[in-house]
Amino acid sequence: MDGRDDACKKVTGGSSRMVALLLVQFAVSAMLVACGGPTCTGNTREYNGQCLSGMAITYIECTKERGVDLTTKVGGKLGGTFKVVADASVEAAYEEQKRENTVVALQVVSDCLKIAETQADSAVDKSAAQESRNRADMIKQQVQETAHIEIAPSQAQVGESLSVSGRNFYPDETVAIYIHATLIKQEKADSQGAFSTTIIVPKDAPPPGFSTVVRASGETSVKSARVPFERLP
């Protein structure tokens, strides 16, 4: 009995040591994976701690070569689908345009999205690149074009309403509407940089016979447009 017990103890002890060794090896492997970055699958590979498609990496590298570093501007969205990355980069370029008053970032994003389209892994990614590029081009065009407004009618009495519409402001920006120097209303432009609203002629509008205007001013773009208006008796 004693001999068998000793043998069992040796086997049990050996098994315990083997299990412990395997656990250590597993822990070391896990640490190496954690230190070396994520384990990427499919058509993705590791890039700055994220698993990205070759298309996304080509796009990001393209923008970096042209002076727009999306890895810092887009942040945590890099790990998303290509559409998420592309949409976020357009918005980042738009924000930079508003700060720097230049369309360079938008142009870079547009150019690199066009290049990325050629490496699309699927029709979905290709469509996402096209849609984001179209939005970047649209914003760039709006930024460069002069704001414009229209009113109807061009003459009205105090208390009467005027319809006011505008275009070529920045997408989603707040537009302040004035009669002469009096702020009448604030309206938010849509994603195309356009708005349409109604205002009421106030009592303190310039008197009849006084030459004045209805004016709209973009809060972010500082674009301004005006049209003649006359208060009726």
Side-chain angles (χ1 to χ4, degrees), residues 39-45 51:
T39 301
C40 300
T41 59
N43 63 347
T44 65
R45 65 179 189 269
C51 291

PDB file of all heavy atoms in Angstrom, residues 39-45 51:
ATOM      1  N   THR A  39      -5.405  40.717 -31.366  1.00  0.00           N
ATOM      2  CA  THR A  39      -5.303  39.631 -32.327  1.00  0.00           C
ATOM      3  C   THR A  39      -6.341  39.874 -33.415  1.00  0.00           C
ATOM      4  O   THR A  39      -7.541  39.775 -33.170  1.00  0.00           O
ATOM      5  CB  THR A  39      -5.562  38.271 -31.645  1.00  0.00           C
ATOM      6  OG1 THR A  39      -4.607  38.089 -30.594  1.00  0.00           O
ATOM      7  CG2 THR A  39      -5.443  37.144 -32.655  1.00  0.00           C
ATOM      8  N   CYS A  40      -5.889  40.228 -34.598  1.00  0.00           N
ATOM      9  CA  CYS A  40      -6.798  40.602 -35.677  1.00  0.00           C
ATOM     10  C   CYS A  40      -7.139  39.389 -36.535  1.00  0.00           C
ATOM     11  O   CYS A  40      -6.310  38.498 -36.727  1.00  0.00           O
ATOM     12  CB  CYS A  40      -6.174  41.701 -36.539  1.00  0.00           C
ATOM     13  SG  CYS A  40      -5.801  43.204 -35.601  1.00  0.00           S
ATOM     14  N   THR A  41      -8.346  39.377 -37.041  1.00  0.00           N
ATOM     15  CA  THR A  41      -8.814  38.255 -37.848  1.00  0.00           C
ATOM     16  C   THR A  41      -9.348  38.759 -39.188  1.00  0.00           C
ATOM     17  O   THR A  41      -9.512  39.962 -39.397  1.00  0.00           O
ATOM     18  CB  THR A  41      -9.937  37.495 -37.115  1.00  0.00           C
ATOM     19  OG1 THR A  41     -11.021  38.405 -36.854  1.00  0.00           O
ATOM     20  CG2 THR A  41      -9.436  36.914 -35.808  1.00  0.00           C
ATOM     21  N   GLY A  42      -9.640  37.807 -40.065  1.00  0.00           N
ATOM     22  CA  GLY A  42     -10.221  38.156 -41.358  1.00  0.00           C
ATOM     23  C   GLY A  42      -9.274  38.995 -42.192  1.00  0.00           C
ATOM     24  O   GLY A  42      -8.075  38.727 -42.267  1.00  0.00           O
ATOM     25  N   ASN A  43      -9.818  40.047 -42.803  1.00  0.00           N
ATOM     26  CA  ASN A  43      -9.004  40.893 -43.678  1.00  0.00           C
ATOM     27  C   ASN A  43      -8.457  42.116 -42.951  1.00  0.00           C
ATOM     28  O   ASN A  43      -8.089  43.107 -43.577  1.00  0.00           O
ATOM     29  CB  ASN A  43      -9.829  41.347 -44.893  1.00  0.00           C
ATOM     30  CG  ASN A  43     -11.013  42.219 -44.483  1.00  0.00           C
ATOM     31  OD1 ASN A  43     -11.351  42.293 -43.304  1.00  0.00           O
ATOM     32  ND2 ASN A  43     -11.639  42.870 -45.451  1.00  0.00           N
ATOM     33  N   THR A  44      -8.418  42.050 -41.604  1.00  0.00           N
ATOM     34  CA  THR A  44      -7.903  43.180 -40.836  1.00  0.00           C
ATOM     35  C   THR A  44      -6.501  42.884 -40.319  1.00  0.00           C
ATOM     36  O   THR A  44      -6.098  41.727 -40.206  1.00  0.00           O
ATOM     37  CB  THR A  44      -8.815  43.498 -39.636  1.00  0.00           C
ATOM     38  OG1 THR A  44      -8.806  42.393 -38.714  1.00  0.00           O
ATOM     39  CG2 THR A  44     -10.232  43.769 -40.095  1.00  0.00           C
ATOM     40  N   ARG A  45      -5.786  43.955 -40.002  1.00  0.00           N
ATOM     41  CA  ARG A  45      -4.489  43.798 -39.351  1.00  0.00           C
ATOM     42  C   ARG A  45      -4.292  44.933 -38.348  1.00  0.00           C
ATOM     43  O   ARG A  45      -4.969  45.959 -38.410  1.00  0.00           O
ATOM     44  CB  ARG A  45      -3.355  43.760 -40.374  1.00  0.00           C
ATOM     45  CG  ARG A  45      -3.124  45.013 -41.178  1.00  0.00           C
ATOM     46  CD  ARG A  45      -1.943  44.785 -42.126  1.00  0.00           C
ATOM     47  NE  ARG A  45      -1.513  45.989 -42.801  1.00  0.00           N
ATOM     48  CZ  ARG A  45      -1.975  46.398 -43.968  1.00  0.00           C
ATOM     49  NH1 ARG A  45      -2.901  45.688 -44.586  1.00  0.00           N
ATOM     50  NH2 ARG A  45      -1.521  47.504 -44.524  1.00  0.00           N
ATOM     51  N   CYS A  51      -7.669  46.944 -34.926  1.00  0.00           N
ATOM     52  CA  CYS A  51      -7.739  46.034 -36.070  1.00  0.00           C
ATOM     53  C   CYS A  51      -8.466  46.749 -37.203  1.00  0.00           C
ATOM     54  O   CYS A  51      -9.664  47.010 -37.108  1.00  0.00           O
ATOM     55  CB  CYS A  51      -8.484  44.751 -35.694  1.00  0.00           C
ATOM     56  SG  CYS A  51      -7.575  43.701 -34.536  1.00  0.00           S
TER      57      CYS A  51
END
